[in-house]
C-alpha cells in the first residue's frame, strides 16, 4: 500500500507507526478517520497482522459503522474478523463470554431507561423513600456518575454516610444493584463497570484478552471517562501497542464525565510514547483557522499545536453587533438570503450555532417570516419541547375549557396525586354525561369510585384553573405565564431539580416569557387567543413534505451538537459574556477553559465564511438586559476581523473596551469577593444591567464606565466593571479584579484608568 502518495507526511507517519504507544493529536478537519482506516489496512495488508488481533474502539455506532465500511473497502471482507465497535458493544462481547465469573448467567438482560426507572421506583417503595424527596431521574443520574467513576455501591455508601440526601441515594444504589443481579440484568453503565471488574479480578480472563488483542486503537480519546480509561489501561498488554487518537482542544463533554487529563497525561501513562500531530486542516480557509488557533492558545491545559491549511486566507471573520436579539436574528436571515443570491448557495450550506437550545426560538420566528426553511439538529423545535408544551397546555385550557387534550396533559403536571387511573375515570364519566372533562371535574363529587384524596387533589386543580381563567383577560399574556409558573410550582420544581436537563428547561421557559413580552409589544391584538393563534400558525407546516426540500434547510444547533459537522457558512450567535462564555465560567477556571474549547469547536465548523454576532440588548425572562461582547472575540487579532453593518464606530468602541489580556485574566479564585454580601449577589447582576428598550445604547454611550469595560486600578491592578449603581449622588461601580476579587468603589474618587 503506497501510503506516501495516499496521505500527507504526518498522516503517513501515524499510519506506519504500529509498535509501541502512539498518541495521534488530530486537529479539527485533519483527516483522522482516513488515517485510522489506512493504518488498519496497512497492518493487515502490509504487515500481515490478522484482523482478529486488532481492537478498534469508537464512541458511536455511526462512527464504528463508517470505519468498518471504509476498512472493508480497502482490505475486503476480511475486515469483518476484527472488532470495530463502541466501548459498550465491546464490553457486551466480553461479558457474554465471561460474566459467569461475576455470578451472572451469560444470558443476562440489558435494561433500558424505562426498565431502570421501574426498578428504581421499586427500590424506593421498599425503602419507603418519597418520590417528592428524590426523583428517579436524579437517582439514576447519581448512580450513573458513580459507575462512570468506578465507585461501587458500598464505597458510595461509605463516602456519603454523613450526607443525608446522598446517603438515601446510596441505600437505593445498594438495593438497586442487588436487584439487578437478582434479575440477571445489567444497566448500560454496568457494561463497562462490570467489564473492568471482571478484568481486574480474573487474571486468566485478562491474559486471554492480552493474547487476543495485540493492537488496540481508540478514537476520540479526549472524551473518555474514568471507567473507559481504566478499561483500555487493563486491555493493553506489556508490549503497549496502544494507539489513541483525539484532540484535547475539542474536549467539550466534561458535564457527562469526559476527562481531558486522560489525553494530556498519555505520555505519563506510557513513557516513551510517540506523538504525531495532525495539524493540516482540509476543511477551512486560512483566516478561520488562524482565529481558532488564536482563541485556543489562551488555554493552559492543552498540548501545543496549531492548525494550518494550504487553502487561501479567505474572507475576514465578520462581526455584527446587533441592537437587539431580534435585530440579530433578522440580520442572520437577511445575510443568508444575500449570500444565496450572490454566491448561488443552498440553504443546507448554512448553520446557526448557539450555546443554549433556548436561543433557537427567536431565529425560528425570524426564519419563518423570511420563508427560510430550517431544521433543529440534535434537539426539538422550540414549541415542541415538553416544558413549552406543558405551559402552552395551561394557556389553551384556560382559553378553551373544552380542550380535553390540554387538560389531560397538565392535570397532573406538576404531580398532584391525580394518576392515570383517576384520569381514566374522569374521561369515562365525561363521556357518560356527554360533557367535556373540565365540566366533569367541576362536579367531581359525582364521579364514582374516586377516593377522598383524589377528589381533594382535583378540587385544588379546578380552583387553580378557575383563578387563571378569571384573570386571563385582566393581565398580559407574559404575566399570565409567570402566574402559571409561580402558582403551580412548575418553575420552582425545575429550579430546585437535581436533574441536569432541567437547567435548560428553565432557560426555555424564560424564553417563552420573553416571546410573550415581544408579542405584547408588536401585536395590535394582545389577547391570549391572538397569542395562541400566532404560535399555532407559526409552528405548523414548518417542515416541507418534499424530501429534497427537507434536506435543503438551514441547520440550527448547539455547538455541542455541531461537533464532527462542517458547513460552508457558519453564524456563531449570542456571543456575549454571560451567554458564551456562560455565567458560571467567570467563577471557575476549568469551566472557562472548556468554554474556550467549545468556542474553538464552533469556529472550526466553518469552511468558507464565519460570522460572529452579539446584541446590545436581549430579552431574558421578560427583562431587557445588556451583555458585553464575548471575551473570546477579543482574543482574535484585529487583522482577522471585519465589523459589518450596524453602528461600526460604536462596535469598535465596545470591542476595544472589552479587550482582554489572556490567559491571566481567568483567575479561578479571583472574580467573586470573599465579602459575604457581595458573594451572595447573583452572578448575573455582575454581568448584566436591566434597561428599557433603546435607552440601553444611549446610557452606554453617555459614560465611559460601562458594564464589561476593563479598567486598571493603582493598587488592585486589572479588573472588569461588573455593576454600576447610585448612592447619595455618587456613582458606585463594582469591579471584579483579576487577583483581588470584587471591590465596590466611588467612580469619581477611585484611582482607575479606563482601558
Amino acid at each position: 500500500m503506497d501510503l506516501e502518495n495516499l496521505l500527507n507526511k504526518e498522516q503517513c507517519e501515524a499510519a506506519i507507526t504500529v509498535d509501541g504507544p502512539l498518541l495521534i493529536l488530530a486537529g479539527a478537519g485533519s483527516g483522522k478517520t482516513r488515517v485510522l482506516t489506512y493504518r488498519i489496512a496497512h497492518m493487515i495488508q502490509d504487515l500481515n497482522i490478522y484482523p482478529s488481533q486488532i481492537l478498534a474502539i469508537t464512541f458511536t455506532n455511526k462512527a464504528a459503522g463508517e470505519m468498518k465500511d471504509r476498512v472493508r473497502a480497502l482490505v475486503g471482507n476480511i475486515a469483518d474478523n476484527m472488532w470495530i465497535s463502541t466501548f459498550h458493544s465491546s464490553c457486551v462481547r466480553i461479558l457474554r463470554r465471561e460474566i459467569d465469573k461475576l455470578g451472572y448467567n451469560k444470558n443476562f438482560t440489558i435494561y433500558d431507561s424505562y426498565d431502570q426507572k421501574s426498578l428504581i421506583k421499586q427500590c424506593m417503595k421498599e425503602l419507603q423513600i418519597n418520590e417528592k424527596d428524590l426523583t428517579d431521574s436524579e437517582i439514576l443520574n447519581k448512580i450513573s456518575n458513580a459507575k462512570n467513576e468506578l465507585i461501587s455501591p458500598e464505597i458510595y455508601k461509605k463516602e456519603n454516610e454523613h450526607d443525608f440526601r446522598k446517603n438515601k441515594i446510596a441505600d437505593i444504589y445498594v438495593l438497586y444493584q442487588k436487584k439487578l443481579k437478582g434479575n440477571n440484568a445489567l444497566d448500560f453503565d454496568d457494561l463497562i463497570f462490570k467489564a473492568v471488574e471482571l478484568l481486574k479480578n480474573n487474571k486468566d480472563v485478562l491474559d486471554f484478552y492480552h493474547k487476543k488483542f495485540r493492537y488496540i486503537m481508540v478514537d476520540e480519546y479526549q472524551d473518555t471517562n474514568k471507567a473507559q480509561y481504566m478499561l483500555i489501561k487493563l486491555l493493553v498488554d506489556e508490549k503497549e501497542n496502544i494507539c489513541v487518537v483525539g484532540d484535547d482542544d475539542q474536549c467539550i463533554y466534561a458535564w457527562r464525565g469526559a476527562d481531558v487529563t486522560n489525553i494530556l497525561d498519555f505520555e505519563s501513562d506510557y513513557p516513551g510514547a510517540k506523538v504525531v500531530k495532525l495539524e493540516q486542516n482540509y476543511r477551512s480557509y486560512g483566516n478561520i483557522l488562524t482565529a481558532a488557533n488564536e482563541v485556543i492558545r489562551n488555554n493552559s491545559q492543552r498540548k501545543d499545536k496549531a492548525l494550518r491549511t494550504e487553502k487561501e486566507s479567505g474572507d475576514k471573520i465578520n462581526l455584527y453587533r446587533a441592537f437587539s436579539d431580534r435585530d440579530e436574528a433578522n440580520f442572520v436571515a437577511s445575510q443568508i438570503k444575500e449570500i444565496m443570491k450572490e454566491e448561488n448557495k443552498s440553504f443546507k450550506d448554512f448553520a446557526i450555532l448557539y450555546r443554549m437550545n433556548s436561543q433557537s426560538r427567536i431565529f425560528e420566528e425570524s426564519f419563518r417570516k423570511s420563508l427560510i426553511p430550517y431544521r433543529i439538529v440534535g434537539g426539538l423545535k422550540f414549541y415542541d419541547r415538553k416544558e413549552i408544551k406543558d405551559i402552552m397546555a395551561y394557556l389553551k385550557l384556560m382559553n378553551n375549557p373544552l380542550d380535553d387534550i390540554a387538560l389531560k396533559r397538565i392535570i397532573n403536571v406538576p404531580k398532584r396525586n391525580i394518576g392515570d387511573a383517576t384520569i381514566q375515570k374522569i374521561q369515562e364519566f365525561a363521556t357518560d354525561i356527554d360533557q367535556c372533562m373540565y365540566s366533569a371535574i367541576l362536579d367531581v363529587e359525582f364521579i364514582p369510585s374516586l377516593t377522598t384524596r383524589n377528589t381533594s387533589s382535583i378540587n385544588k386543580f379546578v380552583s387553580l384553573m378557575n383563578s387563571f381563567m378569571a384573570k386571563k383577560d385582566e393581565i398580559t399574556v407574559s404575566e399570565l405565564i409567570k402566574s402559571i409558573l409561580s402558582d403551580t410550582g412548575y418553575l420552582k420544581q425545575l429550579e430546585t431539580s437535581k436533574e441536569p436537563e432541567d437547567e435548560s428547561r428553565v432557560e426555555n421557559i424564560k424564553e417563552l416569557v420573553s416571546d410573550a413580552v415581544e408579542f405584547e409589544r408588536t401585536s395590535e391584538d394582545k389577547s391570549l387567543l391572538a397569542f395562541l393563534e400566532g404560535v399555532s400558525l407559526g409552528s405548523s407546516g414548518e417542515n416541507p413534505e418534499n424530501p429534497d426540500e427537507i434536506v435543503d434547510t438551514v441547520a440550527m444547533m448547539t455547538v455541542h451538537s455541531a461537533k464532527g459537522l462542517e458547513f460552508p457558512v457558519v453564524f456563531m450567535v449570542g456571543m456575549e459574556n454571560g451567554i458564551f462564555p456562560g455565567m458560571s465560567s467567570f467563577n471557575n477556571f476549568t469551566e472557562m477553559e472548556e468554554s474556550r474549547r467549545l468556542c474553538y469547536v464552533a469556529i472550526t465548523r466553518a469552511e468558507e465564511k464565519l460570522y460572529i454576532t452579539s446584541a446590545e440588548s436581549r430579552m431574558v425572562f421578560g427583562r431587557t438586559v445588556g451583555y458585553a461582547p464575548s471575551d473570546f472575540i477579543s482574543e482574535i487579532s484585529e487583522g482577522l476581523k471585519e465589523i459589518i453593518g450596524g453602528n461600526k464606530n460604536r462596535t469598535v468602541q465596545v470591542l476595544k473596551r472589552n479587550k482582554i489580556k489572556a490567559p491571566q485574566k481567568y483567575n479561578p479564585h479571583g472574580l467573586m469577593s470573599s465579602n459575604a454580601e457581595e458573594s451572595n449577589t447573583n452572578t448575573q447582576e455582575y454581568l448584566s444591567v436591566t434597561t428599557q428598550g433603546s435607552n440601553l445604547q444611549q446610557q452606554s454611550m453617555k459614560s465611559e464606565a460601562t458594564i464589561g469595560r476593563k479598567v486598571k486600578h493603582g493598587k488592585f491592578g486589572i479588573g472588569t466593571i461588573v455593576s454600576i449603581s447610585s448612592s447619595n449622588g455618587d456613582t458606585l461601580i463594582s469591579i471584579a479584579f483579576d487577583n483581588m476579587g470584587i471591590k465596590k468603589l466611588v467612580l469619581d474618587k477611585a484611582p482607575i484608568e479606563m482601558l
Side-chain angles (χ1 to χ4, degrees), residues 415-432:
K415 291 187 182 297
R416 301 186 177 90
N417 299 310
I418 305 175
D420 292 342
T422 301
I423 295 171
Q424 182 61 33
K425 290 173 183 176
I426 296 170
Q427 177 72 77
E428 290 171 355
F429 181 74
T431 301
D432 289 342

Side-chain angles (χ1 to χ4, degrees), residues 69-114:
D69 289 342
R70 291 172 71 166
V71 171
R72 190 186 291 114
L74 292 173
V75 302
N77 292 335
I78 195 173
D80 294 336
N81 294 323
M82 68 175 289
W83 286 24
I84 301 179
S85 59
T86 64
F87 275 98
H88 293 93
S89 297
S90 298
C91 287
V92 168
R93 294 181 71 171
I94 293 172
L95 292 171
R96 287 291 181 205
R97 185 179 185 274
E98 310 283 0
I99 200 171
D100 57 309
K101 294 177 175 62
L102 297 179
Y104 291 78
N105 295 329
K106 293 181 180 180
N107 64 339
F108 61 86
T109 302
I110 302 173
Y111 276 4
D112 61 17
S113 59
Y114 179 83

Side-chain angles (χ1 to χ4, degrees), residues 419-675:
D420 292 342
T422 301
I423 295 171
Q424 182 61 33
K425 290 173 183 176
I426 296 170
Q427 177 72 77
E428 290 171 355
F429 181 74
T431 301
D432 289 342
I433 64 173
D434 197 24
Q435 295 286 329
C436 68
M437 290 179 70
Y438 196 78
S439 293
I441 61 176
L442 290 175
D443 296 316
V444 67
E445 291 80 7
F446 295 102
I447 301 177
S449 68
L450 290 185
T451 65
T452 303
R453 186 184 183 191
N454 293 152
T455 302
S456 174
S457 297
I458 292 169
N459 278 330
K460 288 179 182 177
F461 173 72
V462 169
S463 177
L464 189 67
M465 288 306 304
N466 284 344
S467 70
F468 291 148
M469 291 175 187
K471 58 187 177 185
K472 73 179 178 67
D473 295 324
E474 299 174 1
I475 61 177
T476 63
V477 175
S478 60
E479 289 169 339
L480 196 55
I481 295 173
K482 289 180 181 179
S483 181
I484 294 169
L485 295 172
S486 173
D487 296 353
T488 64
Y490 195 101
L491 183 58
K492 183 178 180 181
Q493 177 180 288
L494 291 179
E495 289 178 331
T496 58
S497 170
K498 304 296 182 181
E499 298 172 27
E501 64 269 21
D502 285 342
E503 185 176 344
S504 63
R505 286 178 174 152
V506 170
E507 295 297 331
N508 289 336
I509 285 173
K510 290 180 177 180
E511 185 64 22
L512 178 63
V513 175
S514 297
D515 188 23
V517 170
E518 183 62 23
F519 158 78
E520 292 154 12
R521 188 182 70 82
T522 59
S523 177
E524 291 185 13
D525 184 350
K526 305 183 190 305
S527 67
L528 174 59
L529 176 60
F531 178 72
L532 293 172
E533 284 182 352
V535 170
S536 297
L537 293 173
S539 301
S540 63
E542 293 175 1
N543 287 326
E545 295 182 5
N546 186 325
D548 294 331
E549 290 182 298
I550 293 175
V551 172
D552 191 22
T553 53
V554 176
M556 293 187 192
M557 69 194 83
T558 63
V559 182
H560 282 103
S561 297
K563 189 169 180 286
L565 303 177
E566 55 195 59
F567 302 89
V569 185
V570 167
F571 291 86
M572 292 171 60
V573 301
M575 289 296 291
E576 299 149 32
N577 287 338
I579 296 179
F580 198 170
M583 299 287 187
S584 58
S585 295
F586 285 90
N587 306 317
N588 187 303
F589 175 78
T590 302
E591 283 195 28
M592 181 59 81
E593 294 238 322
E594 174 134 346
S595 288
R596 189 179 280 105
R597 291 195 293 269
L598 198 62
C599 181
Y600 172 83
V601 168
I603 292 173
T604 53
R605 298 313 94 192
E607 296 174 329
E608 301 171 15
K609 293 179 182 292
L610 176 63
Y611 290 78
I612 298 179
T613 68
S614 62
E616 288 276 2
S617 67
R618 68 176 61 248
M619 197 80 76
V620 177
F621 205 17
R623 293 189 310 148
T624 302
V625 299
Y627 296 121
S630 171
D631 284 355
F632 297 148
I633 299 175
S634 299
E635 295 177 348
I636 301 172
S637 298
E638 296 302 320
L640 295 174
K641 301 178 292 192
E642 181 177 3
I643 298 168
I644 61 172
N647 187 332
K648 291 188 179 182
N649 292 331
R650 166 68 184 143
T651 303
V652 170
Q653 292 172 7
V654 171
L655 291 174
K656 281 184 177 178
R657 290 172 187 170
N658 203 46
K659 191 165 186 177
I660 59 171
K661 293 180 177 65
Q664 293 85 356
K665 77 184 193 69
Y666 296 120
N667 186 308
H669 308 293
L671 281 176
M672 293 300 288
S673 170
S674 58
N675 180 284

